Amino acid sequence: MEDRRAKLADVARVAGVSRAQASRAINGGYGVAPEVRQRVRDVAERLGFQPHGVARALATGRASAGERERVEILIVDPDPQAFSAKPFYGRVLTGATRALAGQDVALELKLVPAPPTTDEDPPFGRILINMPPVPGAAYARRGRTIALGESAPGVPFVAPDNHGGGHQAAVHLVTTGRRRVGAVFGPDTPCARERKNGFLRMMAGAGLTVVSAHGDFTRATAYTVAKELLTREPHLDAIFAACDVSAMGVLQALREAGRRVPDDVAVVGFDGSALAEAADLSSIFMPVEEEAASAIRHLLDPALPPPARLPTTLTIRGSS
Amino acid sequence: MEDRRAKLADVARVAGVSRAQASRAINGGYGVAPEVRQRVRDVAERLGFQPHGVARALATGRASAGERERVEILIVDPDPQAFSAKPFYGRVLTGATRALAGQDVALELKLVPAPPTTDEDPPFGRILINMPPVPGAAYARRGRTIALGESAPGVPFVAPDNHGGGHQAAVHLVTTGRRRVGAVFGPDTPCARERKNGFLRMMAGAGLTVVSAHGDFTRATAYTVAKELLTREPHLDAIFAACDVSAMGVLQALREAGRRVPDDVAVVGFDGSALAEAADLSSIFMPVEEEAASAIRHLLDPALPPPARLPTTLTIRGSS
DNA sequence: CTGAAAGCGCTTACAG
DNA sequence: CTGAAAGCGCTTACAG
């Protein structure tokens, strides 16, 4: 016995009215005798009637509920634990959620290990994260698109001023009297390079050389790298980490080496995530929430120019 | 001049065939004279014909592209920064994303300050987080629903064994020789109560009283509360925090009070988020990712019974 | 206040 | 290979 889903005709029949009347009763209810309206609604309830969104959409010409505007956040990240491990994504969601509040636009989330090859059912708007330039440009051709972080030329983007942030970190360390400075930079990505360049340029300007190595934005690697740095240069009095998660590894390496923070060694991270606050870590604050929010606003109204570069700010906490 | 979007009838008329023929030519193309097929397709191309997804969906009975299966994660949280501040949500997304990989089911995310009153366009399945019982039960009546954390009776749920976790934390502290134990419990929620009860029951069994106060799962409050605890009982040798974020506040209070961790005071948190790992914090690990994944699996196949309670595990790190 | 009818844009047996 | 017709489930002038 298939228990086929009740349709409007069923409700109408059981209630003893026409489909037109049933439709009116269930929707507006205007111009329907109160008792009829009640009866129809009771029957609908009893039969578990659920209006067929597609049919309704076709009849009304309005978009069906299921067709309602969607904004997709498409994240390319090979780490399936990315949402757990990287505070960045949570912050993006905060910003996106805020900008979408009260907009009746659905937020769709997609985490893929590599750029998808097919793209059926393109959403109204799309935010690209970590998308390589080529597929990025293709997405941009297909519909409203904005990248978080610089993407292909011509693809609108919003990103933090990484270079300026690196500069700020260096200025902070130098002006607080640090002279033997180490750094755990990030991997070979545009944003990590910018942070590094900003940091090194300032340091060079101050006539200081930096004992540095590259990490991969993870705590474990940063921990190992920091240990090496301390071996190479035991008298470091400051370490810059290219992200807060890395900074946590640096802090642990220092703890284990018996170096006090900030007395012996100052540590500055980059991101300004909740992690930095929780760990009392000085950090270059990236306005990720604001980036995401303005990305959404750009998608909703492309007349608004994408803000491109957003300034970073130094937040001084107990680690420096 | 409205440039109305071309419809199938237009294509058919221009190509000089029936709508049926046009439809076949554009879709399968089987049983259509090759030249007709080509002609129709050319015309469609020229007119920029885009099949009307809704109409097609209604006619075929299949879901339209825009109607493809969606699973919604509906989070009630008054904190608009929730995704930034609470690692829990990111972990949920990790688990959900993993369970959904390769399923062609869209993941929709909704963060609302209070339970929504209307519910048009119910998704295929829905995960409820922090939903009060009454609306929770209503959602469950409306479609496939599962709650993260116990909800109304009859609503399937999956949750960690909070009581057991509290017990594990207490056992750990007692068996490592701690005797003057403090605790920063959580707010007045079921899960915080369960953790607290599990912890206190074990402590009472060990004949120990606990110096405790309630926090609200935030770092700032935990910091303040921990300071009070230290004033009331300066010789505490252990503090249990009802969540990792709170534990960070406890750690800071201890740092400022000049108490060494773990030598003077052991600290154990609860959650097992990336934060705990980053901060080298011992913690009761909640399998959040696994909870979310099994919630999704239950939605996709309700024949699978919801797993209800998932065990927690103690992760010992440098803080205890 | 009510119902018969037309229509939303497309698909698909069915008969030719 | 082709077209007239019915139908997907609902809405909405229109006439009463």
PDB file of all heavy atoms in Angstrom, chain B residues 7-8 19 23-24 27 49 56, chain C residues 8-15:
ATOM      1  N   LYS B   7      10.645  30.214 -24.470  1.00  0.00           N
ATOM      2  CA  LYS B   7      10.159  28.960 -23.903  1.00  0.00           C
ATOM      3  C   LYS B   7      10.135  27.908 -24.995  1.00  0.00           C
ATOM      4  O   LYS B   7      10.334  28.206 -26.185  1.00  0.00           O
ATOM      5  CB  LYS B   7       8.793  29.133 -23.258  1.00  0.00           C
ATOM      6  CG  LYS B   7       7.783  29.821 -24.148  1.00  0.00           C
ATOM      7  CD  LYS B   7       6.507  30.144 -23.393  1.00  0.00           C
ATOM      8  CE  LYS B   7       6.772  31.176 -22.316  1.00  0.00           C
ATOM      9  NZ  LYS B   7       5.504  31.763 -21.810  1.00  0.00           N
ATOM     10  N   LEU B   8       9.885  26.708 -24.580  1.00  0.00           N
ATOM     11  CA  LEU B   8       9.941  25.607 -25.530  1.00  0.00           C
ATOM     12  C   LEU B   8       9.034  25.859 -26.728  1.00  0.00           C
ATOM     13  O   LEU B   8       9.386  25.562 -27.879  1.00  0.00           O
ATOM     14  CB  LEU B   8       9.548  24.301 -24.834  1.00  0.00           C
ATOM     15  CG  LEU B   8       9.692  23.058 -25.695  1.00  0.00           C
ATOM     16  CD1 LEU B   8      11.138  22.850 -26.102  1.00  0.00           C
ATOM     17  CD2 LEU B   8       9.172  21.833 -24.957  1.00  0.00           C
ATOM     18  N   ARG B  19       5.766  20.993 -30.102  1.00  0.00           N
ATOM     19  CA  ARG B  19       6.489  21.117 -28.835  1.00  0.00           C
ATOM     20  C   ARG B  19       7.042  19.765 -28.411  1.00  0.00           C
ATOM     21  O   ARG B  19       8.151  19.676 -27.869  1.00  0.00           O
ATOM     22  CB  ARG B  19       5.553  21.657 -27.760  1.00  0.00           C
ATOM     23  CG  ARG B  19       5.298  23.144 -27.898  1.00  0.00           C
ATOM     24  CD  ARG B  19       4.006  23.551 -27.239  1.00  0.00           C
ATOM     25  NE  ARG B  19       3.951  23.107 -25.864  1.00  0.00           N
ATOM     26  CZ  ARG B  19       2.833  22.827 -25.205  1.00  0.00           C
ATOM     27  NH1 ARG B  19       1.669  22.962 -25.809  1.00  0.00           N
ATOM     28  NH2 ARG B  19       2.867  22.428 -23.966  1.00  0.00           N
ATOM     29  N   SER B  23      10.869  19.104 -27.590  1.00  0.00           N
ATOM     30  CA  SER B  23      11.282  18.571 -26.296  1.00  0.00           C
ATOM     31  C   SER B  23      12.212  17.380 -26.479  1.00  0.00           C
ATOM     32  O   SER B  23      13.288  17.311 -25.879  1.00  0.00           O
ATOM     33  CB  SER B  23      10.047  18.163 -25.495  1.00  0.00           C
ATOM     34  OG  SER B  23      10.426  17.540 -24.295  1.00  0.00           O
ATOM     35  N   ARG B  24      11.808  16.466 -27.343  1.00  0.00           N
ATOM     36  CA  ARG B  24      12.640  15.274 -27.572  1.00  0.00           C
ATOM     37  C   ARG B  24      13.996  15.659 -28.135  1.00  0.00           C
ATOM     38  O   ARG B  24      15.029  15.140 -27.728  1.00  0.00           O
ATOM     39  CB  ARG B  24      11.948  14.338 -28.548  1.00  0.00           C
ATOM     40  CG  ARG B  24      10.707  13.691 -27.990  1.00  0.00           C
ATOM     41  CD  ARG B  24      10.174  12.639 -28.948  1.00  0.00           C
ATOM     42  NE  ARG B  24       8.776  12.365 -28.670  1.00  0.00           N
ATOM     43  CZ  ARG B  24       7.765  12.806 -29.392  1.00  0.00           C
ATOM     44  NH1 ARG B  24       7.981  13.556 -30.476  1.00  0.00           N
ATOM     45  NH2 ARG B  24       6.532  12.510 -29.058  1.00  0.00           N
ATOM     46  N   ASN B  27      16.152  17.115 -25.419  1.00  0.00           N
ATOM     47  CA  ASN B  27      16.563  16.197 -24.367  1.00  0.00           C
ATOM     48  C   ASN B  27      17.316  15.013 -24.952  1.00  0.00           C
ATOM     49  O   ASN B  27      18.437  15.144 -25.394  1.00  0.00           O
ATOM     50  CB  ASN B  27      15.359  15.758 -23.556  1.00  0.00           C
ATOM     51  CG  ASN B  27      14.757  16.937 -22.831  1.00  0.00           C
ATOM     52  OD1 ASN B  27      15.484  17.743 -22.276  1.00  0.00           O
ATOM     53  ND2 ASN B  27      13.455  17.052 -22.874  1.00  0.00           N
ATOM     54  N   PHE B  49      17.432  29.569 -25.412  1.00  0.00           N
ATOM     55  CA  PHE B  49      16.444  28.808 -24.655  1.00  0.00           C
ATOM     56  C   PHE B  49      17.077  28.110 -23.450  1.00  0.00           C
ATOM     57  O   PHE B  49      18.075  27.406 -23.576  1.00  0.00           O
ATOM     58  CB  PHE B  49      15.786  27.761 -25.558  1.00  0.00           C
ATOM     59  CG  PHE B  49      14.908  26.811 -24.799  1.00  0.00           C
ATOM     60  CD1 PHE B  49      13.707  27.249 -24.245  1.00  0.00           C
ATOM     61  CD2 PHE B  49      15.287  25.484 -24.624  1.00  0.00           C
ATOM     62  CE1 PHE B  49      12.898  26.373 -23.539  1.00  0.00           C
ATOM     63  CE2 PHE B  49      14.475  24.613 -23.921  1.00  0.00           C
ATOM     64  CZ  PHE B  49      13.287  25.057 -23.377  1.00  0.00           C
ATOM     65  N   ARG B  56       9.864  21.576 -15.780  1.00  0.00           N
ATOM     66  CA  ARG B  56      10.413  20.269 -16.087  1.00  0.00           C
ATOM     67  C   ARG B  56      10.281  19.336 -14.882  1.00  0.00           C
ATOM     68  O   ARG B  56       9.897  18.175 -15.009  1.00  0.00           O
ATOM     69  CB  ARG B  56      11.888  20.417 -16.477  1.00  0.00           C
ATOM     70  CG  ARG B  56      12.580  19.108 -16.683  1.00  0.00           C
ATOM     71  CD  ARG B  56      14.016  19.318 -17.099  1.00  0.00           C
ATOM     72  NE  ARG B  56      14.116  19.610 -18.525  1.00  0.00           N
ATOM     73  CZ  ARG B  56      15.264  19.822 -19.145  1.00  0.00           C
ATOM     74  NH1 ARG B  56      16.391  19.812 -18.444  1.00  0.00           N
ATOM     75  NH2 ARG B  56      15.295  20.037 -20.433  1.00  0.00           N
TER      76      ARG B  56
ATOM     77  P    DC C   8       0.146  29.947 -19.804  1.00  0.00           P
ATOM     78  OP1  DC C   8       0.271  31.192 -20.578  1.00  0.00           O
ATOM     79  OP2  DC C   8       0.127  28.638 -20.489  1.00  0.00           O
ATOM     80  O5'  DC C   8       1.307  29.883 -18.732  1.00  0.00           O
ATOM     81  C5'  DC C   8       1.272  30.633 -17.513  1.00  0.00           C
ATOM     82  C4'  DC C   8       2.157  29.920 -16.516  1.00  0.00           C
ATOM     83  O4'  DC C   8       1.355  28.984 -15.787  1.00  0.00           O
ATOM     84  C3'  DC C   8       3.250  29.089 -17.174  1.00  0.00           C
ATOM     85  O3'  DC C   8       4.446  29.879 -17.237  1.00  0.00           O
ATOM     86  C2'  DC C   8       3.424  27.894 -16.226  1.00  0.00           C
ATOM     87  C1'  DC C   8       2.128  27.870 -15.399  1.00  0.00           C
ATOM     88  N1   DC C   8       1.241  26.694 -15.576  1.00  0.00           N
ATOM     89  C2   DC C   8       0.842  25.955 -14.453  1.00  0.00           C
ATOM     90  O2   DC C   8       1.264  26.293 -13.349  1.00  0.00           O
ATOM     91  N3   DC C   8       0.024  24.886 -14.632  1.00  0.00           N
ATOM     92  C4   DC C   8      -0.408  24.564 -15.852  1.00  0.00           C
ATOM     93  N4   DC C   8      -1.225  23.512 -15.972  1.00  0.00           N
ATOM     94  C5   DC C   8      -0.018  25.309 -17.002  1.00  0.00           C
ATOM     95  C6   DC C   8       0.810  26.351 -16.827  1.00  0.00           C
ATOM     96  P    DG C   9       5.076  30.249 -18.715  1.00  0.00           P
ATOM     97  OP1  DG C   9       6.025  31.356 -18.489  1.00  0.00           O
ATOM     98  OP2  DG C   9       4.026  30.353 -19.732  1.00  0.00           O
ATOM     99  O5'  DG C   9       5.899  28.922 -19.027  1.00  0.00           O
ATOM    100  C5'  DG C   9       6.949  28.546 -18.163  1.00  0.00           C
ATOM    101  C4'  DG C   9       7.330  27.116 -18.450  1.00  0.00           C
ATOM    102  O4'  DG C   9       6.226  26.250 -18.135  1.00  0.00           O
ATOM    103  C3'  DG C   9       7.695  26.824 -19.904  1.00  0.00           C
ATOM    104  O3'  DG C   9       8.983  26.257 -19.908  1.00  0.00           O
ATOM    105  C2'  DG C   9       6.621  25.854 -20.379  1.00  0.00           C
ATOM    106  C1'  DG C   9       6.176  25.215 -19.078  1.00  0.00           C
ATOM    107  N9   DG C   9       4.807  24.723 -19.089  1.00  0.00           N
ATOM    108  C8   DG C   9       3.725  25.275 -19.718  1.00  0.00           C
ATOM    109  N7   DG C   9       2.608  24.604 -19.536  1.00  0.00           N
ATOM    110  C5   DG C   9       2.982  23.541 -18.727  1.00  0.00           C
ATOM    111  C6   DG C   9       2.208  22.481 -18.202  1.00  0.00           C
ATOM    112  O6   DG C   9       0.993  22.276 -18.346  1.00  0.00           O
ATOM    113  N1   DG C   9       2.964  21.611 -17.435  1.00  0.00           N
ATOM    114  C2   DG C   9       4.324  21.758 -17.206  1.00  0.00           C
ATOM    115  N2   DG C   9       4.889  20.838 -16.433  1.00  0.00           N
ATOM    116  N3   DG C   9       5.068  22.749 -17.695  1.00  0.00           N
ATOM    117  C4   DG C   9       4.329  23.597 -18.442  1.00  0.00           C
ATOM    118  P    DC C  10       9.664  25.699 -21.223  1.00  0.00           P
ATOM    119  OP1  DC C  10      11.104  25.898 -21.081  1.00  0.00           O
ATOM    120  OP2  DC C  10       8.945  26.178 -22.409  1.00  0.00           O
ATOM    121  O5'  DC C  10       9.371  24.149 -21.044  1.00  0.00           O
ATOM    122  C5'  DC C  10      10.103  23.455 -20.054  1.00  0.00           C
ATOM    123  C4'  DC C  10       9.450  22.141 -19.715  1.00  0.00           C
ATOM    124  O4'  DC C  10       8.022  22.304 -19.666  1.00  0.00           O
ATOM    125  C3'  DC C  10       9.683  21.024 -20.734  1.00  0.00           C
ATOM    126  O3'  DC C  10      10.682  20.153 -20.207  1.00  0.00           O
ATOM    127  C2'  DC C  10       8.362  20.294 -20.840  1.00  0.00           C
ATOM    128  C1'  DC C  10       7.438  21.041 -19.893  1.00  0.00           C
ATOM    129  N1   DC C  10       6.089  21.246 -20.470  1.00  0.00           N
ATOM    130  C2   DC C  10       5.084  20.355 -20.147  1.00  0.00           C
ATOM    131  O2   DC C  10       5.336  19.412 -19.390  1.00  0.00           O
ATOM    132  N3   DC C  10       3.841  20.522 -20.661  1.00  0.00           N
ATOM    133  C4   DC C  10       3.599  21.559 -21.476  1.00  0.00           C
ATOM    134  N4   DC C  10       2.353  21.706 -21.960  1.00  0.00           N
ATOM    135  C5   DC C  10       4.618  22.490 -21.826  1.00  0.00           C
ATOM    136  C6   DC C  10       5.840  22.291 -21.312  1.00  0.00           C
ATOM    137  P    DT C  11      11.164  18.954 -21.127  1.00  0.00           P
ATOM    138  OP1  DT C  11      12.464  18.554 -20.576  1.00  0.00           O
ATOM    139  OP2  DT C  11      11.006  19.319 -22.551  1.00  0.00           O
ATOM    140  O5'  DT C  11      10.098  17.815 -20.797  1.00  0.00           O
ATOM    141  C5'  DT C  11      10.058  17.296 -19.476  1.00  0.00           C
ATOM    142  C4'  DT C  11       9.063  16.154 -19.405  1.00  0.00           C
ATOM    143  O4'  DT C  11       7.758  16.601 -19.855  1.00  0.00           O
ATOM    144  C3'  DT C  11       9.409  14.945 -20.280  1.00  0.00           C
ATOM    145  O3'  DT C  11       9.161  13.810 -19.476  1.00  0.00           O
ATOM    146  C2'  DT C  11       8.443  15.041 -21.455  1.00  0.00           C
ATOM    147  C1'  DT C  11       7.229  15.688 -20.789  1.00  0.00           C
ATOM    148  N1   DT C  11       6.307  16.482 -21.641  1.00  0.00           N
ATOM    149  C2   DT C  11       4.967  16.176 -21.625  1.00  0.00           C
ATOM    150  O2   DT C  11       4.494  15.258 -20.989  1.00  0.00           O
ATOM    151  N3   DT C  11       4.179  16.998 -22.397  1.00  0.00           N
ATOM    152  C4   DT C  11       4.593  18.076 -23.157  1.00  0.00           C
ATOM    153  O4   DT C  11       3.793  18.743 -23.796  1.00  0.00           O
ATOM    154  C5   DT C  11       6.009  18.333 -23.139  1.00  0.00           C
ATOM    155  C7   DT C  11       6.560  19.480 -23.939  1.00  0.00           C
ATOM    156  C6   DT C  11       6.798  17.541 -22.390  1.00  0.00           C
ATOM    157  P    DT C  12       9.819  12.428 -19.828  1.00  0.00           P
ATOM    158  OP1  DT C  12      10.339  11.897 -18.556  1.00  0.00           O
ATOM    159  OP2  DT C  12      10.690  12.608 -20.998  1.00  0.00           O
ATOM    160  O5'  DT C  12       8.562  11.556 -20.270  1.00  0.00           O
ATOM    161  C5'  DT C  12       7.356  11.662 -19.530  1.00  0.00           C
ATOM    162  C4'  DT C  12       6.256  10.965 -20.282  1.00  0.00           C
ATOM    163  O4'  DT C  12       5.542  11.911 -21.110  1.00  0.00           O
ATOM    164  C3'  DT C  12       6.739   9.866 -21.235  1.00  0.00           C
ATOM    165  O3'  DT C  12       5.764   8.840 -21.222  1.00  0.00           O
ATOM    166  C2'  DT C  12       6.750  10.558 -22.591  1.00  0.00           C
ATOM    167  C1'  DT C  12       5.492  11.413 -22.439  1.00  0.00           C
ATOM    168  N1   DT C  12       5.398  12.601 -23.322  1.00  0.00           N
ATOM    169  C2   DT C  12       4.151  13.084 -23.625  1.00  0.00           C
ATOM    170  O2   DT C  12       3.130  12.591 -23.207  1.00  0.00           O
ATOM    171  N3   DT C  12       4.146  14.189 -24.429  1.00  0.00           N
ATOM    172  C4   DT C  12       5.250  14.830 -24.967  1.00  0.00           C
ATOM    173  O4   DT C  12       5.117  15.805 -25.679  1.00  0.00           O
ATOM    174  C5   DT C  12       6.523  14.259 -24.616  1.00  0.00           C
ATOM    175  C7   DT C  12       7.785  14.866 -25.147  1.00  0.00           C
ATOM    176  C6   DT C  12       6.546  13.185 -23.825  1.00  0.00           C
ATOM    177  P    DA C  13       6.242   7.349 -20.949  1.00  0.00           P
ATOM    178  OP1  DA C  13       5.419   6.878 -19.795  1.00  0.00           O
ATOM    179  OP2  DA C  13       7.702   7.306 -20.885  1.00  0.00           O
ATOM    180  O5'  DA C  13       5.778   6.569 -22.235  1.00  0.00           O
ATOM    181  C5'  DA C  13       4.865   5.530 -22.134  1.00  0.00           C
ATOM    182  C4'  DA C  13       3.441   6.003 -22.005  1.00  0.00           C
ATOM    183  O4'  DA C  13       3.341   7.411 -22.292  1.00  0.00           O
ATOM    184  C3'  DA C  13       2.516   5.290 -22.985  1.00  0.00           C
ATOM    185  O3'  DA C  13       1.264   5.008 -22.387  1.00  0.00           O
ATOM    186  C2'  DA C  13       2.365   6.283 -24.136  1.00  0.00           C
ATOM    187  C1'  DA C  13       2.566   7.625 -23.454  1.00  0.00           C
ATOM    188  N9   DA C  13       3.314   8.544 -24.326  1.00  0.00           N
ATOM    189  C8   DA C  13       4.663   8.590 -24.539  1.00  0.00           C
ATOM    190  N7   DA C  13       5.043   9.547 -25.359  1.00  0.00           N
ATOM    191  C5   DA C  13       3.858  10.170 -25.703  1.00  0.00           C
ATOM    192  C6   DA C  13       3.571  11.260 -26.541  1.00  0.00           C
ATOM    193  N6   DA C  13       4.513  11.948 -27.197  1.00  0.00           N
ATOM    194  N1   DA C  13       2.291  11.620 -26.671  1.00  0.00           N
ATOM    195  C2   DA C  13       1.341  10.934 -26.001  1.00  0.00           C
ATOM    196  N3   DA C  13       1.479   9.902 -25.169  1.00  0.00           N
ATOM    197  C4   DA C  13       2.775   9.567 -25.071  1.00  0.00           C
ATOM    198  P    DC C  14       0.422   3.789 -23.048  1.00  0.00           P
ATOM    199  OP1  DC C  14      -0.656   3.456 -22.097  1.00  0.00           O
ATOM    200  OP2  DC C  14       1.383   2.755 -23.495  1.00  0.00           O
ATOM    201  O5'  DC C  14      -0.214   4.462 -24.349  1.00  0.00           O
ATOM    202  C5'  DC C  14      -1.052   5.606 -24.201  1.00  0.00           C
ATOM    203  C4'  DC C  14      -1.397   6.129 -25.579  1.00  0.00           C
ATOM    204  O4'  DC C  14      -0.381   7.053 -26.036  1.00  0.00           O
ATOM    205  C3'  DC C  14      -1.498   5.037 -26.648  1.00  0.00           C
ATOM    206  O3'  DC C  14      -2.850   4.940 -27.072  1.00  0.00           O
ATOM    207  C2'  DC C  14      -0.565   5.494 -27.765  1.00  0.00           C
ATOM    208  C1'  DC C  14      -0.307   6.956 -27.438  1.00  0.00           C
ATOM    209  N1   DC C  14       1.043   7.443 -27.820  1.00  0.00           N
ATOM    210  C2   DC C  14       1.144   8.608 -28.613  1.00  0.00           C
ATOM    211  O2   DC C  14       0.105   9.193 -28.964  1.00  0.00           O
ATOM    212  N3   DC C  14       2.362   9.061 -28.981  1.00  0.00           N
ATOM    213  C4   DC C  14       3.454   8.405 -28.582  1.00  0.00           C
ATOM    214  N4   DC C  14       4.647   8.897 -28.950  1.00  0.00           N
ATOM    215  C5   DC C  14       3.379   7.238 -27.782  1.00  0.00           C
ATOM    216  C6   DC C  14       2.164   6.792 -27.428  1.00  0.00           C
ATOM    217  P    DA C  15      -3.252   3.733 -28.121  1.00  0.00           P
ATOM    218  OP1  DA C  15      -4.614   3.268 -27.747  1.00  0.00           O
ATOM    219  OP2  DA C  15      -2.131   2.774 -28.258  1.00  0.00           O
ATOM    220  O5'  DA C  15      -3.369   4.555 -29.468  1.00  0.00           O
ATOM    221  C5'  DA C  15      -3.974   5.853 -29.453  1.00  0.00           C
ATOM    222  C4'  DA C  15      -3.725   6.530 -30.779  1.00  0.00           C
ATOM    223  O4'  DA C  15      -2.354   7.003 -30.837  1.00  0.00           O
ATOM    224  C3'  DA C  15      -3.905   5.616 -31.997  1.00  0.00           C
ATOM    225  O3'  DA C  15      -4.633   6.348 -32.986  1.00  0.00           O
ATOM    226  C2'  DA C  15      -2.488   5.293 -32.435  1.00  0.00           C
ATOM    227  C1'  DA C  15      -1.744   6.567 -32.041  1.00  0.00           C
ATOM    228  N9   DA C  15      -0.314   6.403 -31.766  1.00  0.00           N
ATOM    229  C8   DA C  15       0.302   5.385 -31.086  1.00  0.00           C
ATOM    230  N7   DA C  15       1.606   5.512 -31.001  1.00  0.00           N
ATOM    231  C5   DA C  15       1.867   6.701 -31.669  1.00  0.00           C
ATOM    232  C6   DA C  15       3.063   7.394 -31.928  1.00  0.00           C
ATOM    233  N6   DA C  15       4.261   6.979 -31.523  1.00  0.00           N
ATOM    234  N1   DA C  15       2.967   8.547 -32.621  1.00  0.00           N
ATOM    235  C2   DA C  15       1.762   8.969 -33.028  1.00  0.00           C
ATOM    236  N3   DA C  15       0.568   8.400 -32.840  1.00  0.00           N
ATOM    237  C4   DA C  15       0.693   7.262 -32.147  1.00  0.00           C
TER     238       DA C  15
END
